[in-house]
Amino acid sequence: FPLSDRSGCWIDRIFGLRNVLFIMADDLRTSLGCYGDSVVKSPNIDQLASKSQVFLNAYAQQAVCAPSRTSMLTSRRPDTTRLYDFKSYWRVHSGNYTTMPQYFKSRGYFTTSVGKIFHPGIASNHSDDYPYSWSIPAYHPASFRFEKQKMCKGEDGKLHANLLCAVNVTEQPGGTLPDLETTDEAVRLLKNLANDDVPFFLAVGFHKPHIPFRIPQEYLSLYPIDQMTLAPDPDVPKSLPPVAYNPWMDVRKRDDVQKLNISFPYGPMPKDFQLHVRQHYYAAVSYMDAQVGRLLSALDELGLADSTMVVFTSDHGWSLGEHGEWAKYSNFDVATRVPLIFYVPGVTTLHDWLGESAFPFIDVLTKSNYNARVIRNVVELVDVFPTVSYMAGLRAPEPCADVSFQEELCTEGDNLAHTFRHRERGEDEEAISFSQYPRPADAPQVNSDLPDLKDIKVMGYSLRSWDYRYTLWLGFNPKTFQVNVSDVHAGELYMLADDPGQDNNVYSDSDHSVIMKKMASLPHVSLNSF
């Protein structure tokens, strides 16, 4: 079959429309067994990966929640959504762009959101973009309101708003936690949808491993503190431009971190505390993995695994001490690289005629390794919308014009459907991911991580290819949304073959003409003048 023709999608012709279970974690880097992490215990996501196509090098367009989620769900880059902070709703701020769930809804799907999919608040019109995107109002777990309250027992026996917050779940309000509630609701919805003739698009957003690490305390036992190690590059690189540094203010504001009296902006976190942060992050990943396992086993038990595409991803990564940084808020791989896993029944796996379960729940205390079909070439989160649409049996949105503010439905990403039919032939030097991050000044200050739009003075545009990451920090006008390409504040170039951790900036030693030509070819509004 051809990939597509005038009669429609090959996916549609062979299999009919598929349900979609779209799972998104929050602040999850590629710390998963199926991505080669030898420390983490993530058996349920690894099991999903074993029946899926795994994109090993997928990158977010901006390493912070609201801009990344809006970009992925509209398939528009941040310079098109014009959302770089948390304080605008794209439909009134830039353009009335159609979202991925809205597109499915317009094609007859029942669409519903559980947990964190859109960033809540102004960024999604205080409604998770309902009723545009969803058939019914989005569900948020009631226990989430306690996340930012003083819920963590300190050594003094009192409750604090700590970063490290392993808890006895039975002592929490309602005897539960947000991701437990989210999974319960998602399973309840699946049971209701199982006998419905209408195809569904169910989006499930888990809050972990986002801080605070308010997780069931038993998951810490999976990661004994004496077996934890520091990041391989825990120091701020000497060649790192100050504008590129992320001073991790949200981590510093936590009660237990404040007690450490860490100097701003470059003062290192004490090594013993670094080990505990890494332990808690990994434990949070395992806790989230267990919720994914509960969800997938329910899908399987309800007889939906053969008719439902499952997509698993994250909004961006999270630094765990690399380059002396924590949290997201940067253009490094640890902040922009995300898991991206597609389970497509009949394509990535065949029907199991022996009647064995597709996704039996795996207790995290057991550890197994799984082989998956992998794609090594670079892809982006703006590719998700067209790819999910096509692989579900719908037509993918058409590519956007260079200027697309008036186009409600189009994509600034690529439809990756061809990767499911053809084996990867090796390195694609032309495949590029495009990320960016705004800064209020050239030197780190208290609002460097999350500057309001009006305060943005510099924009870091970053290209990630197979063999390098190249970033230019350029002057930016927040009133006109224009970048001044002749106003170069700093540059970074990391050659990944010799420097996979991106610690040795060779920007000043390099000829940039080839990379600048690649920048010019990007479908990007502000940089058209290259």
Side-chain angles (χ1 to χ4, degrees):
F1 295 96
L3 267 179
S4 65
D5 59 24
R6 293 177 183 175
S7 64
C9 304
W10 62 272
I11 288 291
D12 188 13
R13 294 202 309 278
I14 301 172
F15 303 107
L17 294 177
R18 286 194 177 86
N19 302 315
V20 178
L21 175 58
F22 186 80
I23 307 171
M24 197 188 318
D26 200 346
D27 289 16
L28 176 66
R29 57 195 253 157
T30 53
S31 291
L32 297 169
C34 54
Y35 278 80
D37 191 302
S38 61
V39 176
V40 75
K41 294 176 172 63
S42 54
N44 292 286
I45 298 171
D46 294 347
Q47 177 177 241
L48 172 67
S50 73
K51 302 173 187 294
S52 302
Q53 179 159 292
V54 176
F55 293 91
L56 289 184
N57 286 291
Y59 294 89
Q61 275 47 79
Q62 187 177 328
V64 69
C65 298
S68 175
R69 289 165 183 265
T70 300
S71 175
M72 175 175 16
L73 292 165
T74 62
S75 196
R76 312 292 183 104
R77 301 179 187 278
D79 276 352
T80 303
T81 67
R82 292 180 168 175
L83 181 67
Y84 313 105
D85 58 18
F86 294 66
K87 298 183 177 179
S88 298
Y89 178 43
W90 77 91
R91 292 191 189 274
V92 296
H93 180 64
S94 54
N96 189 30
Y97 308 138
T98 300
T99 69
M100 177 166 57
Q102 181 183 2
Y103 181 55
F104 275 81
K105 183 183 175 188
S106 73
R107 296 301 187 271
Y109 276 70
F110 177 84
T111 62
T112 185
S113 171
V114 178
K116 185 179 178 182
I117 296 298
F118 284 101
H119 191 83
I122 298 173
S124 58
N125 202 34
H126 299 283
S127 66
D128 296 81
D129 198 45
Y130 174 79
Y132 293 100
S133 289
W134 312 112
S135 303
I136 58 175
Y139 169 89
H140 291 284
S143 60
F144 183 72
R145 69 181 184 273
F146 300 108
E147 281 287 283
K148 295 184 179 180
Q149 296 183 17
K150 295 183 177 182
M151 303 300 298
C152 322
K153 278 188 179 178
E155 295 177 355
D156 57 4
K158 297 179 181 179
L159 293 178
H160 300 272
N162 286 345
L163 177 68
L164 311 181
C165 193
V167 298
N168 182 335
V169 176
T170 62
E171 296 176 355
Q172 297 303 293
T176 190
L177 291 172
D179 284 350
L180 298 176
E181 282 194 288
T182 289
T183 309
D184 290 343
E185 176 64 12
V187 170
R188 186 190 71 80
L189 281 167
L190 279 176
K191 290 177 179 177
N192 289 342
L193 294 167
N195 298 317
D196 203 326
D197 292 334
V198 176
F200 65 79
F201 181 104
L202 171 60
V204 182
F206 293 112
H207 287 93
K208 293 301 166 239
H210 194 288
I211 65 171
F213 299 125
R214 184 170 166 249
I215 58 173
Q217 58 195 14
E218 55 266 29
Y219 286 91
L220 288 183
S221 66
L222 298 171
Y223 304 97
I225 195 67
D226 60 356
Q227 295 179 22
M228 300 307 298
T229 58
L230 298 177
D233 51 351
D235 299 320
V236 180
K238 293 179 180 179
S239 59
L240 183 69
V243 70
Y245 183 74
N246 138 42
W248 37 282
M249 284 301 299
D250 59 345
V251 171
R252 293 176 188 271
K253 290 177 181 176
R254 298 287 165 176
D255 290 355
D256 49 353
V257 179
Q258 287 195 345
K259 290 181 181 178
L260 302 173
N261 294 318
I262 302 169
S263 61
F264 182 89
Y266 296 114
M269 187 183 287
K271 291 183 179 179
D272 61 337
F273 199 83
Q274 290 190 41
L275 295 174
H276 279 93
V277 175
R278 289 170 66 88
Q279 175 200 37
H280 279 69
Y281 183 90
Y282 277 111
V285 173
S286 293
Y287 161 55
M288 184 272 299
D289 175 84
Q291 308 320 305
V292 173
R294 289 176 58 204
L295 185 58
L296 293 178
S297 64
L299 185 82
D300 193 12
E301 290 166 6
L302 291 166
L304 293 168
D306 288 335
S307 58
T308 304
M309 176 168 64
V310 180
V311 181
F312 178 85
T313 190
S314 172
D315 50 0
H316 43 71
W318 213 78
S319 298
L320 281 171
E322 296 88 356
H323 315 108
E325 296 182 322
W326 303 86
K328 46 258 190 178
Y329 315 121
S330 85
N331 282 320
F332 283 119
D333 273 20
V334 285
T336 55
R337 187 177 172 216
V338 295
L340 182 58
I341 300 171
F342 275 76
Y343 163 80
V344 188
V347 176
T348 63
T349 186
L350 297 177
H351 182 88
D352 191 342
W353 296 107
L354 297 178
E356 295 180 2
S357 296
F359 300 116
F361 178 80
I362 304 176
D363 189 285
V364 73
L365 294 172
T366 64
K367 178 70 174 173
S368 301
N369 293 316
Y370 295 93
N371 294 318
R373 174 188 167 98
V374 300
I375 300 297
R376 299 182 182 278
N377 281 304
V378 171
V379 300
E380 307 177 272
L381 286 185
V382 285
D383 301 336
V384 169
F385 183 168
T387 307
V388 171
S389 302
Y390 193 94
M391 297 307 290
L394 304 178
R395 290 185 181 276
E398 293 296 321
C400 293
D402 286 344
V403 178
S404 61
F405 294 107
Q406 302 305 316
E407 292 186 60
E408 293 188 9
L409 177 62
C410 65
T411 175
E412 293 182 359
D414 293 324
N415 180 2
L416 303 175
H418 65 280
T419 64
F420 292 83
R421 298 214 61 211
H422 303 290
R423 291 219 168 264
E424 200 169 42
R425 295 182 177 178
E427 173 181 334
D428 180 359
E429 295 181 351
E430 298 305 312
I432 289 176
S433 169
F434 184 50
S435 304
Q436 61 190 99
Y437 211 87
R439 296 286 189 228
D442 288 334
Q445 53 190 50
V446 293
N447 66 335
S448 287
D449 294 341
L450 283 176
D452 290 344
L453 173 61
K454 62 180 176 58
D455 297 323
I456 297 172
K457 301 294 188 296
V458 186
M459 188 70 73
Y461 292 100
S462 190
L463 302 182
R464 173 60 155 86
S465 78
W466 180 284
D467 52 1
Y468 65 82
R469 179 174 284 285
Y470 179 75
T471 305
L472 282 182
W473 295 90
L474 304 172
F476 182 83
N477 185 330
K479 293 182 179 178
T480 63
F481 301 95
Q482 291 300 306
V483 61
N484 184 348
V485 297
S486 62
D487 181 20
V488 179
H489 290 236
E492 299 170 78
L493 178 61
Y494 306 100
M495 305 309 296
L496 301 175
D498 299 322
D499 182 25
Q502 300 168 21
D503 296 300
N504 182 27
N505 180 13
V506 297
Y507 173 82
S508 61
D509 306 329
S510 307
D511 174 12
H512 307 291
S513 58
V514 174
I515 302 175
M516 293 296 276
K517 288 179 181 177
K518 289 188 177 183
M519 254 189 159
S521 68
L522 283 165
H524 181 253
V525 176
S526 298
L527 292 179
N528 279 343
S529 53
F530 268 116

